[in-house]
mmCIF file of all heavy atoms in Angstrom:
data_model
loop_
_atom_site.group_PDB
_atom_site.id
_atom_site.type_symbol
_atom_site.label_atom_id
_atom_site.label_comp_id
_atom_site.label_asym_id
_atom_site.label_seq_id
_atom_site.Cartn_x
_atom_site.Cartn_y
_atom_site.Cartn_z
ATOM 1 N N ARG A 80 -10.288 -12.456 -15.632
ATOM 2 C CA ARG A 80 -9.065 -12.244 -14.839
ATOM 3 C C ARG A 80 -7.871 -12.913 -15.503
ATOM 4 O O ARG A 80 -6.766 -12.349 -15.537
ATOM 5 C CB ARG A 80 -9.260 -12.778 -13.418
ATOM 6 C CG ARG A 80 -10.091 -11.863 -12.522
ATOM 7 C CD ARG A 80 -10.032 -12.301 -11.070
ATOM 8 N NE ARG A 80 -10.705 -13.585 -10.865
ATOM 9 C CZ ARG A 80 -11.972 -13.701 -10.514
ATOM 10 N NH1 ARG A 80 -12.716 -12.627 -10.326
ATOM 11 N NH2 ARG A 80 -12.512 -14.895 -10.351
ATOM 12 N N ASP A 81 -8.079 -14.122 -16.040
ATOM 13 C CA ASP A 81 -6.991 -14.832 -16.725
ATOM 14 C C ASP A 81 -6.503 -14.048 -17.941
ATOM 15 O O ASP A 81 -5.294 -13.984 -18.205
ATOM 16 C CB ASP A 81 -7.453 -16.220 -17.162
ATOM 17 C CG ASP A 81 -7.610 -17.196 -16.009
ATOM 18 O OD1 ASP A 81 -7.107 -16.898 -14.902
ATOM 19 O OD2 ASP A 81 -8.231 -18.260 -16.217
ATOM 20 N N ILE A 82 -7.441 -13.461 -18.690
ATOM 21 C CA ILE A 82 -7.047 -12.659 -19.846
ATOM 22 C C ILE A 82 -6.141 -11.504 -19.412
ATOM 23 O O ILE A 82 -5.076 -11.269 -20.002
ATOM 24 C CB ILE A 82 -8.293 -12.120 -20.574
ATOM 25 C CG1 ILE A 82 -9.022 -13.256 -21.292
ATOM 26 C CG2 ILE A 82 -7.913 -11.012 -21.560
ATOM 27 C CD1 ILE A 82 -10.369 -12.851 -21.862
ATOM 28 N N ALA A 83 -6.552 -10.782 -18.386
ATOM 29 C CA ALA A 83 -5.764 -9.632 -17.924
ATOM 30 C C ALA A 83 -4.394 -10.067 -17.431
ATOM 31 O O ALA A 83 -3.366 -9.458 -17.767
ATOM 32 C CB ALA A 83 -6.521 -8.899 -16.820
ATOM 33 N N GLN A 84 -4.351 -11.132 -16.644
ATOM 34 C CA GLN A 84 -3.088 -11.560 -16.051
ATOM 35 C C GLN A 84 -2.134 -12.151 -17.083
ATOM 36 O O GLN A 84 -0.920 -11.908 -17.035
ATOM 37 C CB GLN A 84 -3.372 -12.544 -14.921
ATOM 38 C CG GLN A 84 -4.040 -11.864 -13.723
ATOM 39 C CD GLN A 84 -4.731 -12.823 -12.780
ATOM 40 O OE1 GLN A 84 -4.796 -14.025 -13.012
ATOM 41 N NE2 GLN A 84 -5.272 -12.287 -11.695
ATOM 42 N N GLU A 85 -2.674 -12.923 -18.038
ATOM 43 C CA GLU A 85 -1.804 -13.487 -19.069
ATOM 44 C C GLU A 85 -1.280 -12.403 -19.999
ATOM 45 O O GLU A 85 -0.097 -12.405 -20.372
ATOM 46 C CB GLU A 85 -2.539 -14.566 -19.866
ATOM 47 C CG GLU A 85 -1.652 -15.210 -20.923
ATOM 48 C CD GLU A 85 -2.258 -16.458 -21.536
ATOM 49 O OE1 GLU A 85 -2.909 -17.235 -20.796
ATOM 50 O OE2 GLU A 85 -2.066 -16.667 -22.745
ATOM 51 N N ALA A 86 -2.140 -11.467 -20.390
ATOM 52 C CA ALA A 86 -1.678 -10.361 -21.236
ATOM 53 C C ALA A 86 -0.588 -9.569 -20.527
ATOM 54 O O ALA A 86 0.423 -9.188 -21.139
ATOM 55 C CB ALA A 86 -2.853 -9.457 -21.603
ATOM 56 N N HIS A 87 -0.778 -9.302 -19.240
ATOM 57 C CA HIS A 87 0.232 -8.588 -18.445
ATOM 58 C C HIS A 87 1.577 -9.324 -18.475
ATOM 59 O O HIS A 87 2.629 -8.706 -18.703
ATOM 60 C CB HIS A 87 -0.274 -8.461 -17.010
ATOM 61 C CG HIS A 87 0.732 -7.984 -16.020
ATOM 62 N ND1 HIS A 87 1.262 -6.714 -16.041
ATOM 63 C CD2 HIS A 87 1.317 -8.625 -14.960
ATOM 64 C CE1 HIS A 87 2.131 -6.570 -15.036
ATOM 65 N NE2 HIS A 87 2.173 -7.718 -14.380
ATOM 66 N N ALA A 88 1.540 -10.645 -18.279
ATOM 67 C CA ALA A 88 2.785 -11.430 -18.254
ATOM 68 C C ALA A 88 3.497 -11.400 -19.605
ATOM 69 O O ALA A 88 4.724 -11.259 -19.671
ATOM 70 C CB ALA A 88 2.475 -12.868 -17.842
ATOM 71 N N VAL A 89 2.725 -11.509 -20.698
ATOM 72 C CA VAL A 89 3.346 -11.522 -22.025
ATOM 73 C C VAL A 89 3.887 -10.142 -22.386
ATOM 74 O O VAL A 89 4.964 -10.024 -22.984
ATOM 75 C CB VAL A 89 2.336 -12.009 -23.076
ATOM 76 C CG1 VAL A 89 2.942 -11.945 -24.466
ATOM 77 C CG2 VAL A 89 1.889 -13.435 -22.769
ATOM 78 N N ILE A 90 3.173 -9.096 -22.032
ATOM 79 C CA ILE A 90 3.663 -7.742 -22.302
ATOM 80 C C ILE A 90 5.017 -7.520 -21.626
ATOM 81 O O ILE A 90 5.936 -6.947 -22.217
ATOM 82 C CB ILE A 90 2.648 -6.692 -21.824
ATOM 83 C CG1 ILE A 90 1.381 -6.739 -22.674
ATOM 84 C CG2 ILE A 90 3.247 -5.275 -21.877
ATOM 85 C CD1 ILE A 90 0.205 -5.970 -22.092
ATOM 86 N N LYS A 91 5.157 -7.988 -20.400
ATOM 87 C CA LYS A 91 6.423 -7.794 -19.683
ATOM 88 C C LYS A 91 7.570 -8.552 -20.344
ATOM 89 O O LYS A 91 8.738 -8.175 -20.167
ATOM 90 C CB LYS A 91 6.276 -8.243 -18.237
ATOM 91 C CG LYS A 91 5.417 -7.332 -17.386
ATOM 92 C CD LYS A 91 5.700 -7.495 -15.903
ATOM 93 C CE LYS A 91 5.505 -8.927 -15.445
ATOM 94 N NZ LYS A 91 5.834 -9.088 -14.011
ATOM 95 N N MET A 92 7.275 -9.613 -21.101
ATOM 96 C CA MET A 92 8.331 -10.392 -21.769
ATOM 97 C C MET A 92 8.788 -9.747 -23.074
ATOM 98 O O MET A 92 9.809 -10.149 -23.636
ATOM 99 C CB MET A 92 7.836 -11.811 -22.042
ATOM 100 C CG MET A 92 7.701 -12.663 -20.792
ATOM 101 S SD MET A 92 7.379 -14.406 -21.148
ATOM 102 C CE MET A 92 5.723 -14.316 -21.824
ATOM 103 N N ASN A 93 8.046 -8.766 -23.569
ATOM 104 C CA ASN A 93 8.426 -8.105 -24.809
ATOM 105 C C ASN A 93 9.768 -7.386 -24.614
ATOM 106 O O ASN A 93 9.941 -6.664 -23.625
ATOM 107 C CB ASN A 93 7.339 -7.100 -25.205
ATOM 108 C CG ASN A 93 7.530 -6.564 -26.615
ATOM 109 O OD1 ASN A 93 8.566 -6.014 -26.952
ATOM 110 N ND2 ASN A 93 6.497 -6.718 -27.434
ATOM 111 N N PRO A 94 10.731 -7.552 -25.524
ATOM 112 C CA PRO A 94 12.041 -6.887 -25.370
ATOM 113 C C PRO A 94 11.942 -5.373 -25.200
ATOM 114 O O PRO A 94 12.765 -4.762 -24.516
ATOM 115 C CB PRO A 94 12.777 -7.253 -26.663
ATOM 116 C CG PRO A 94 12.135 -8.515 -27.125
ATOM 117 C CD PRO A 94 10.686 -8.409 -26.717
ATOM 118 N N ILE A 95 10.943 -4.768 -25.813
ATOM 119 C CA ILE A 95 10.791 -3.319 -25.706
ATOM 120 C C ILE A 95 10.459 -2.909 -24.273
ATOM 121 O O ILE A 95 10.764 -1.794 -23.845
ATOM 122 C CB ILE A 95 9.705 -2.820 -26.675
ATOM 123 C CG1 ILE A 95 10.151 -3.080 -28.116
ATOM 124 C CG2 ILE A 95 9.392 -1.342 -26.475
ATOM 125 C CD1 ILE A 95 9.139 -2.696 -29.164
ATOM 126 N N ALA A 96 9.869 -3.833 -23.518
ATOM 127 C CA ALA A 96 9.477 -3.514 -22.143
ATOM 128 C C ALA A 96 10.679 -3.174 -21.270
ATOM 129 O O ALA A 96 10.548 -2.458 -20.266
ATOM 130 C CB ALA A 96 8.705 -4.685 -21.530
ATOM 131 N N ALA A 97 11.872 -3.671 -21.636
ATOM 132 C CA ALA A 97 13.062 -3.370 -20.853
ATOM 133 C C ALA A 97 13.514 -1.929 -21.031
ATOM 134 O O ALA A 97 14.241 -1.386 -20.191
ATOM 135 C CB ALA A 97 14.198 -4.321 -21.254
ATOM 136 N N VAL A 98 13.075 -1.301 -22.111
ATOM 137 C CA VAL A 98 13.481 0.075 -22.396
ATOM 138 C C VAL A 98 12.366 1.062 -22.061
ATOM 139 O O VAL A 98 12.586 2.060 -21.363
ATOM 140 C CB VAL A 98 13.885 0.216 -23.885
ATOM 141 C CG1 VAL A 98 14.313 1.650 -24.188
ATOM 142 C CG2 VAL A 98 14.984 -0.777 -24.226
ATOM 143 N N ALA A 99 11.193 0.782 -22.571
ATOM 144 C CA ALA A 99 10.035 1.663 -22.339
ATOM 145 C C ALA A 99 8.820 0.795 -22.054
ATOM 146 O O ALA A 99 8.383 0.059 -22.924
ATOM 147 C CB ALA A 99 9.789 2.543 -23.566
ATOM 148 N N GLU A 100 8.311 0.845 -20.843
ATOM 149 C CA GLU A 100 7.222 -0.040 -20.451
ATOM 150 C C GLU A 100 5.941 0.293 -21.220
ATOM 151 O O GLU A 100 5.394 1.387 -21.078
ATOM 152 C CB GLU A 100 6.976 0.070 -18.947
ATOM 153 C CG GLU A 100 8.121 -0.469 -18.117
ATOM 154 C CD GLU A 100 7.755 -0.592 -16.639
ATOM 155 O OE1 GLU A 100 6.571 -0.504 -16.307
ATOM 156 O OE2 GLU A 100 8.676 -0.790 -15.843
ATOM 157 N N PRO A 101 5.447 -0.654 -22.027
ATOM 158 C CA PRO A 101 4.215 -0.421 -22.795
ATOM 159 C C PRO A 101 2.979 -0.748 -21.962
ATOM 160 O O PRO A 101 2.381 -1.803 -22.076
ATOM 161 C CB PRO A 101 4.361 -1.388 -23.980
ATOM 162 C CG PRO A 101 5.192 -2.512 -23.430
ATOM 163 C CD PRO A 101 6.094 -1.927 -22.388
ATOM 164 N N HIS A 102 2.609 0.173 -21.080
ATOM 165 C CA HIS A 102 1.461 -0.039 -20.208
ATOM 166 C C HIS A 102 0.148 -0.003 -20.998
ATOM 167 O O HIS A 102 0.054 0.606 -22.059
ATOM 168 C CB HIS A 102 1.399 1.040 -19.124
ATOM 169 C CG HIS A 102 2.464 0.903 -18.095
ATOM 170 N ND1 HIS A 102 2.570 1.761 -17.020
ATOM 171 C CD2 HIS A 102 3.482 0.008 -17.951
ATOM 172 C CE1 HIS A 102 3.596 1.411 -16.265
ATOM 173 N NE2 HIS A 102 4.173 0.366 -16.820
ATOM 174 N N SER A 103 -0.886 -0.646 -20.437
ATOM 175 C CA SER A 103 -2.204 -0.600 -21.043
ATOM 176 C C SER A 103 -3.285 -0.729 -19.985
ATOM 177 O O SER A 103 -3.189 -1.582 -19.099
ATOM 178 C CB SER A 103 -2.371 -1.741 -22.066
ATOM 179 O OG SER A 103 -3.677 -1.741 -22.609
ATOM 180 N N ALA A 104 -4.291 0.126 -20.076
ATOM 181 C CA ALA A 104 -5.533 -0.093 -19.341
ATOM 182 C C ALA A 104 -6.352 -1.108 -20.125
ATOM 183 O O ALA A 104 -6.135 -1.322 -21.318
ATOM 184 C CB ALA A 104 -6.298 1.211 -19.184
ATOM 185 N N LEU A 105 -7.338 -1.736 -19.453
ATOM 186 C CA LEU A 105 -8.098 -2.803 -20.114
ATOM 187 C C LEU A 105 -9.519 -2.847 -19.579
ATOM 188 O O LEU A 105 -9.735 -2.773 -18.359
ATOM 189 C CB LEU A 105 -7.415 -4.155 -19.874
ATOM 190 C CG LEU A 105 -8.096 -5.397 -20.466
ATOM 191 C CD1 LEU A 105 -8.075 -5.346 -21.993
ATOM 192 C CD2 LEU A 105 -7.409 -6.668 -19.977
ATOM 193 N N ALA A 106 -10.485 -2.968 -20.483
ATOM 194 C CA ALA A 106 -11.875 -3.206 -20.109
ATOM 195 C C ALA A 106 -12.367 -4.423 -20.871
ATOM 196 O O ALA A 106 -12.143 -4.541 -22.084
ATOM 197 C CB ALA A 106 -12.736 -1.987 -20.430
ATOM 198 N N LEU A 107 -13.022 -5.337 -20.163
ATOM 199 C CA LEU A 107 -13.531 -6.579 -20.740
ATOM 200 C C LEU A 107 -14.981 -6.769 -20.325
ATOM 201 O O LEU A 107 -15.343 -6.498 -19.173
ATOM 202 C CB LEU A 107 -12.725 -7.786 -20.239
ATOM 203 C CG LEU A 107 -11.226 -7.812 -20.538
ATOM 204 C CD1 LEU A 107 -10.537 -8.835 -19.651
ATOM 205 C CD2 LEU A 107 -10.988 -8.131 -22.010
#
Side-chain angles (χ1 to χ4, degrees):
R80 283 191 292 267
D81 288 346
I82 289 171
Q84 291 162 356
E85 182 169 322
H87 169 67
V89 176
I90 292 167
K91 289 201 303 178
M92 289 189 292
N93 191 303
I95 296 177
V98 180
E100 293 191 13
H102 289 181
S103 177
L105 178 66
L107 300 164

